[in-house]
Amino acid sequence: QKWIIKKLQEQLKFIHYLGEHSTLSVLDVNKFTSLVHNSQESINIADNIDSIRGFEGAVAAQYFQLLAKVLPDSLGFSGRNRRPPKDPFNAVLSLGYTLLYFEAVRQCYLAGLDAYSGFYHTVYTGRASLACDLIEPVRALYDQWLREQFVQRNLRLEDFSFKEEACVMGKAGRARFYEEYEEVAKKSRKIMRELLRQLLQDMRLFSQCEDSSIFELPDIYSIEDKNEVDY
């Protein structure tokens, strides 16, 4: 509940930003604000995962519809699609979400947690479900960064090609993407670490285990925080 509500709050921040820095209308922003607030209230009192998924999914659908309104028509973005992504924006969304997923796996293990034991994403063979949970609150941060890459023309339509139904980013685009990606990766990493700290605090609070030391962060976690290592 906490992590999905944070995701909705971050999406709302991005939409408010677009309301101030793009052609997105006040009416669109206000409607989305009401949807998020109502969904947050419903999620807070939800008693099962499926209900939470339903509210989160409704917000996500509207969120991507609004995002489509402020992206260049030339990108052909009309909403989220994947496997394969069919337009440039979705292609780089999928790439970025994959990178965030592997960073989340790493952060889970650094915190001493099993990346495969999730809450929102239930246990599924071959999937690091806790890592999937962990990237939900940072998706909007990446979305906003990615939009700026296209607005500033660091990524351009000519960087992409189409193979059957799939949209693929070329070598020149990938080079510029990875050169800039660490900017958003560093911010995402900090958020992930704080979320995992809070998770361990909650686990300690609700656990009946007498040894509370098992909920303490390993030393390597503090060392990396202090050094702010780039990868």
Side-chain angles (χ1 to χ4, degrees):
Q1 286 168 317
K2 284 183 180 180
W3 287 8
I4 297 304
I5 286 174
K6 181 170 177 58
K7 175 184 181 178
L8 268 56
Q9 291 171 342
E10 293 302 317
Q11 289 176 326
L12 183 58
K13 286 181 185 178
F14 183 23
I15 295 302
H16 275 272
Y17 172 87
L18 293 176
E20 297 175 0
H21 299 89
S22 76
T23 57
L24 197 62
S25 71
V26 174
L27 179 60
D28 281 334
V29 173
N30 289 343
K31 284 184 177 179
F32 187 75
T33 301
S34 296
L35 175 62
V36 169
H37 288 166
N38 291 336
S39 298
Q40 285 182 185
E41 292 176 4
S42 298
I43 289 172
N44 267 323
I45 61 174
D47 59 1
N48 64 82
I49 292 294
D50 287 337
S51 293
I52 298 176
R53 290 190 184 118
F55 295 120
E56 184 264 334
V59 172
Q62 183 63 26
Y63 169 79
F64 282 115
Q65 287 179 17
L66 296 181
L67 188 52
K69 290 186 176 184
V70 298
L71 290 173
D73 292 339
S74 60
L75 294 180
F77 180 84
S78 59
R80 185 76 176 109
N81 60 66
R82 56 199 180 103
R83 297 179 184 175
K86 297 178 175 60
D87 58 81
F89 198 80
N90 270 299
V92 196
L93 277 181
S94 293
L95 172 60
Y97 291 167
T98 299
L99 294 173
L100 290 174
Y101 167 81
F102 285 109
E103 180 62 46
V105 171
R106 181 176 176 278
Q107 292 301 325
C108 288
Y109 285 131
L110 283 174
L113 293 168
D114 180 0
Y116 285 79
S117 298
F119 297 90
Y120 189 61
H121 295 80
T122 53
V123 175
Y124 186 80
T125 302
R127 179 177 71 188
S129 297
L130 183 58
C132 291
D133 291 350
L134 187 57
I135 69 171
E136 294 295 341
V138 300
R139 286 181 187 267
L141 176 67
Y142 176 79
D143 299 344
Q144 182 170 353
W145 174 84
L146 179 56
R147 175 182 176 270
E148 292 303 313
Q149 297 305 301
F150 281 99
V151 169
Q152 298 170 6
R153 290 190 54 77
N154 188 47
L155 292 176
R156 308 152 196 162
L157 184 60
E158 53 266 32
D159 291 325
F160 299 84
S161 61
F162 293 87
K163 296 182 178 179
E164 297 180 352
E165 293 186 355
C167 181
V168 180
M169 183 164 55
K171 184 176 180 180
R174 292 198 302 272
R176 292 194 298 275
F177 171 86
Y178 284 111
E179 185 177 348
E180 300 294 331
Y181 173 73
E182 180 59 24
E183 172 192 345
V184 70
K186 186 180 295 185
K187 294 177 181 178
S188 300
R189 202 174 292 133
K190 288 181 179 179
I191 295 171
M192 289 179 187
R193 289 177 181 177
E194 184 55 35
L195 290 170
L196 290 174
R197 283 192 183 91
Q198 293 171 5
L199 175 61
L200 284 167
Q201 290 173 1
D202 287 342
M203 290 172 69
R204 179 188 292 114
L205 179 64
F206 290 102
S207 173
Q208 297 180 0
C209 179
E210 295 181 359
D211 182 9
S212 63
S213 65
I214 66 173
F215 301 109
E216 295 177 1
L217 287 165
D219 291 340
I220 185 63
Y221 213 72
S222 299
I223 292 172
E224 292 212 354
D225 268 349
K226 181 179 180 180
N227 294 338
E228 284 299 318
V229 180
D230 291 342
Y231 299 92

